[in-house]
Amino acid sequence: MEPIVYVLDEQVRDLLTHLTSAGTLEEGVAFGFDDWTVFHAYTEKPFTTPSGIVCPCFAVRADTAGMVDETRLTSSVRARTDLSERPAVVLVVDTHSDGTPQCRALIVSHSKMAAADTRFVPRRSELYSRNAGLLETSALAAKKVVVVGLGSGGSPVALDLARAGVGQFTLIDFDRLELGNISRHVCGINDLGRYKTLAVRDQILQKNPYASVTTMEVNINQALAPVEEAVAKCDLLIVASDNDQSRFNLNQMSLNHNRTALYGRAITRAAGGDVLRVRPWTGPCYNCVFSSGLIDGREEEMSQKRQALAVLPAYVEEDKANAMIQVGLSSDIAPIANMMVKIALLELSRGQETGISTLDEDLKADFYIWANRREEAYAAWPLMNYKWTRPSILRWYGARVERDPQCLVCGGHLKADTPLQGIVQ
Ligand SMILES: [Zn+2]
């Protein structure tokens, strides 16, 4: 089988506009995999942190007859770089008579030169063609989403939105990826020690190379102004942070700028979790719901050593902090993240007739509860059985929550022309 070389369609187009003379070698970079059977070639700096083994890469324009002198090309590549350990990828670019870009790759090693099966990574419109019908992907490409908290809850939400075609992200988190996070996080060992924001940005770009991703490595409780600036410009705020203070702060920002917000979280060891949608001024706000006693007995999941150290006295040893970190399984977080994605896509697609529009009739509630196991806050729930009249584990429940006219956050701001239309009577 011929080795396969992937190149980005847009990079080849760019190359053709500035590589005007035939025969000149332009340097790029390639990454080789699996005994040099697959290569990813870039003519410009890769947009994300790549994997694979770094290999030399050159691009050259064919002459007017669409030809290159392969013998001369091979010897000039060998003169430019040492090929004893790894081969080089050479991209021969050209424009077809109808104007479409052409690119064929050659693999040059120290002993031979061989043609490769060259494949284009297509433009945006083709990447998401399979979502068509269910989602208006061109509209989603223009949507801006702010995701606060890029842990095991926030990172899959961000990634799934990118997969659906959402095009603009601001990722906010100041934690770095720890060894203990790996089993549940979308990022792996290769990203250890990196800021979660930057590692997740790379994952998003792997799914949607045309996404625009801004990152902020800040503690939002200490950087309110820049975070609020990002919230003011977004279409949807997604909150998967791990502390109440940040959620109350973000609630205030979402109300200040009239931005719909989604709050999702898991409780201890991910026995369950909940998702709250806040439509400012029409439905309950975060404070309306979480000051009402609804959350009694639900202890927040603790997944970072930072959280444990924050609640322990200074003299307590690190081992004690490590022992406090009790996390659930990735499969226990997944339903909560999945629900957040569904509601997020519904909110972002509002006003358009798409395949998911009918969900609007189902997802009437603003607060949703999920239980993975009969423990913690759900210990008293009856066994899951054939009767559907009682709440059971592994099913979603939409809870009727109301806007509190006495709410200290949104109640006092009521305007005369703002009826409490979000209240379910
Ligand atoms: Zn409120």
Side-chain angles (χ1 to χ4, degrees):
M1 191 186 89
E2 282 184 337
I4 304 168
V5 175
Y6 283 94
V7 287
L8 285 167
D9 178 271
E10 299 224 319
Q11 290 199 351
V12 173
R13 284 172 196 271
D14 287 348
L15 193 66
L16 280 164
T17 59
H18 75 261
L19 196 62
T20 46
S21 61
T24 314
L25 285 183
E26 169 112 348
E27 211 162 326
V29 63
F31 298 88
F33 303 84
D34 308 334
D35 296 329
W36 315 128
T37 53
V38 176
F39 297 87
H40 297 171
Y42 298 89
T43 60
E44 290 162 27
K45 190 169 169 281
F47 47 79
T48 174
T49 309
S51 55
I53 299 167
V54 181
C55 295
C57 174
F58 299 95
V60 64
R61 192 180 185 114
D63 63 23
T64 45
M67 307 292 286
V68 282
D69 180 340
E70 290 185 358
T71 314
R72 230 173 97 192
L73 182 61
T74 304
S75 58
S76 54
V77 167
R78 285 185 184 136
R80 291 273 290 264
T81 183
D82 173 17
L83 298 178
S84 57
E85 300 288 330
R86 70 270 190 272
V89 176
V90 180
L91 305 172
V92 181
V93 297
D94 192 9
T95 310
H96 195 265
S97 54
D98 66 3
T100 54
Q102 305 282 299
C103 177
R104 62 190 169 93
L106 307 169
I107 307 299
V108 180
S109 69
H110 66 287
S111 60
K112 62 177 183 178
M113 188 273 292
D117 175 1
T118 313
R119 299 182 189 178
F120 284 105
V121 178
R123 293 158 77 84
R124 184 201 330 253
S125 57
E126 293 159 57
L127 268 176
Y128 296 99
S129 58
R130 290 188 183 179
N131 292 352
L134 267 186
L135 295 163
E136 181 53 65
T137 50
S138 58
L140 286 177
K143 296 292 183 183
K144 292 192 183 82
V145 176
V146 170
V147 185
V148 182
L150 277 305
S152 51
S155 62
V157 174
L159 201 55
D160 255 350
L161 292 178
R163 285 182 178 121
V166 173
Q168 302 192 41
F169 295 86
T170 301
L171 309 178
I172 307 177
D173 197 319
F174 68 107
D175 277 329
R176 291 174 181 274
L177 204 66
E178 297 173 3
L179 197 56
N181 302 141
I182 297 294
S183 66
R184 311 191 309 160
H185 203 271
V186 299
C187 299
I189 293 277
N190 283 352
D191 292 312
L192 267 182
R194 298 182 68 197
Y195 278 118
K196 290 177 178 175
T197 47
L198 300 178
V200 173
R201 173 201 62 191
D202 286 354
Q203 294 288 325
I204 288 175
L205 293 175
Q206 293 276 356
K207 293 293 174 190
N208 180 356
Y210 307 101
S212 149
V213 187
T214 306
T215 68
M216 295 170 67
E217 292 71 39
V218 295
N219 177 345
I220 75 139
N221 299 322
Q222 291 161 15
L224 296 174
V227 172
E228 183 151 11
E229 202 176 314
V231 170
K233 289 187 235 159
C234 78
D235 293 295
L236 181 68
L237 169 63
I238 291 179
V239 185
S241 60
D242 59 15
N243 64 86
D244 251 346
Q245 193 191 349
S246 65
R247 289 187 288 249
F248 280 111
N249 280 328
L250 290 160
N251 181 51
Q252 188 65 59
M253 293 177 199
S254 105
L255 291 165
N256 289 351
H257 300 281
N258 204 19
R259 296 292 181 255
T260 299
L262 281 182
Y263 299 81
R265 56 176 205 148
I267 68 167
T268 311
R269 292 181 55 235
D274 43 59
V275 176
L276 171 70
R277 167 177 50 194
V278 171
R279 292 165 169 163
W281 311 114
T282 59
C285 82
Y286 187 82
N287 189 64
C288 291
V289 176
F290 284 91
S291 300
S292 66
L294 194 65
I295 54 166
D296 282 358
R298 292 178 195 196
E299 201 178 314
E300 186 108 3
E301 184 180 69
M302 196 167 282
S303 60
Q304 291 286 117
K305 195 194 285 182
R306 171 183 52 74
Q307 286 169 278
L309 291 172
V311 298
L312 287 171
Y315 55 83
V316 172
E317 291 169 9
E318 273 205 4
D319 282 357
K320 178 95 190 275
N322 283 328
M324 282 182 73
I325 300 173
Q326 291 198 324
V327 297
L329 298 171
S330 176
S331 54
D332 290 336
I333 307 287
I336 301 158
N338 186 262
M339 187 60 150
M340 291 181 82
V341 171
K342 284 200 164 51
I343 300 175
L345 290 175
L346 189 62
E347 291 298 324
L348 292 170
S349 304
R350 199 165 285 289
Q352 292 152 32
E353 263 311 304
T354 64
I356 63 163
S357 302
T358 57
L359 267 182
D360 206 18
E361 293 158 26
D362 298 281
L363 299 175
K364 284 282 183 218
D366 287 312
F367 189 62
Y368 294 90
I369 298 169
W370 175 268
N372 285 307
R373 300 183 298 278
R374 287 179 298 108
E375 50 181 75
E376 303 285 341
Y378 320 103
W381 284 25
L383 281 171
M384 188 184 192
N385 54 29
Y386 299 116
K387 294 177 192 163
W388 290 18
T389 53
R390 302 284 299 275
S392 89
I393 58 166
L394 305 178
R395 283 186 193 138
W396 277 108
Y397 292 93
R400 184 172 289 202
V401 290
E402 299 181 357
R403 188 174 173 196
D404 176 6
Q406 306 304 315
C407 171
L408 291 174
V409 179
C410 73
H413 292 65
L414 282 182
K415 299 168 199 151
D417 59 347
T418 312
L420 299 183
Q421 55 192 303
I423 292 184
V424 182
Q425 300 295 346

